[in-house]
Amino acid sequence: MKALDRIVLVVAAASIVMLSAVVLASVAGPGFPNGFALEFFGAVSEHKLVTVAVAVLMLLVVLYLVSAVLRSEGEPAPIVVNTALGDVRISMSAIEAIVRRAARQVNGIREVDAEATGDAEGLSVFTKIQVYPDVSIPDVCERLESELSAVFTAMVGLPVKSVHTVVRGVAHERSKPRASSS
């Protein structure tokens, strides 16, 4: 959420709280709160220009907040690879699918989540993996980096600038890791 969105949201919330207090005070019956509400409504009817300006401002705040809610974050910009016949655009979701598929081929990895960022200069890959028990985590991570580098060079034609791996857990089951040619 942008800073401007937060500021507008706070102003709108404060305005709603103040107007709610005035409305509640107007139904309280005789005494101080009711007198305050009557004075407020009297001031509103006397200063029509100010009332219209505040109403228009509140309408704009509401419209801004509705547009902020409906605004989609959207998918990150695709990576553009220049070829002899033209440009190839590869979406980040396709890149992440390639990362997940390649990581599953690495001996010792049970599950993987992936995120990727990059441009035409190269890719940065962020993975969260779960490994099988009794495997060397540094070795698994090293094989993962090698596999991703080889796959992206072959499939996409881009180098992998960095691979950041978080080992989020070790599998509870004692099943054997998949055999791999790595």
Side-chain angles (χ1 to χ4, degrees):
M1 182 179 267
K2 297 182 203 171
L4 180 62
D5 294 344
R6 291 184 177 142
I7 291 169
V8 171
L9 190 58
V10 167
V11 168
S15 301
I16 290 170
V17 167
M18 287 184 344
L19 288 174
S20 298
V22 169
V23 169
L24 284 174
S26 69
V27 296
F32 168 71
N34 194 20
F36 170 74
L38 291 174
E39 286 179 26
F40 176 80
F41 289 122
V44 166
S45 65
E46 287 178 21
H47 304 287
K48 292 187 189 310
L49 187 59
V50 173
T51 303
V52 168
V54 169
V56 167
L57 180 64
M58 289 305 296
L59 178 65
L60 291 175
V61 166
V62 168
L63 291 175
Y64 178 84
L65 290 174
V66 168
S67 72
V69 168
L70 297 177
R71 191 180 325 140
S72 71
E73 296 298 320
E75 174 135 348
I79 293 179
V80 179
V81 179
N82 298 318
T83 66
L85 297 176
D87 294 339
V88 176
R89 298 180 188 283
I90 306 169
S91 72
M92 281 300 151
S93 59
I95 298 286
E96 291 165 359
I98 294 169
V99 170
R100 285 189 295 275
R101 185 174 185 188
R104 281 190 221 107
Q105 302 304 313
V106 174
N107 187 28
I109 294 179
R110 181 167 189 260
E111 293 178 12
V112 63
D113 289 328
E115 290 182 29
T117 60
D119 53 29
E121 303 298 317
L123 300 166
S124 293
V125 178
F126 304 89
T127 61
K128 293 181 182 177
I129 62 173
Q130 183 180 40
V131 297
Y132 286 102
D134 303 327
V135 297
S136 169
I137 292 174
D139 288 346
V140 169
C141 293
E142 187 176 317
R143 287 194 308 268
L144 175 62
E145 291 173 12
S146 297
E147 180 71 16
L148 292 176
S149 181
V151 165
F152 278 105
T153 301
M155 286 184 73
V156 182
L158 289 175
V160 176
K161 292 192 279 189
S162 63
V163 177
H164 304 278
T165 302
V166 174
V167 179
R168 68 170 185 228
V170 177
H172 293 293
E173 52 196 57
R174 305 291 286 168
S175 62
K176 291 280 186 191
R178 293 181 295 274
S180 173
S181 60
S182 298

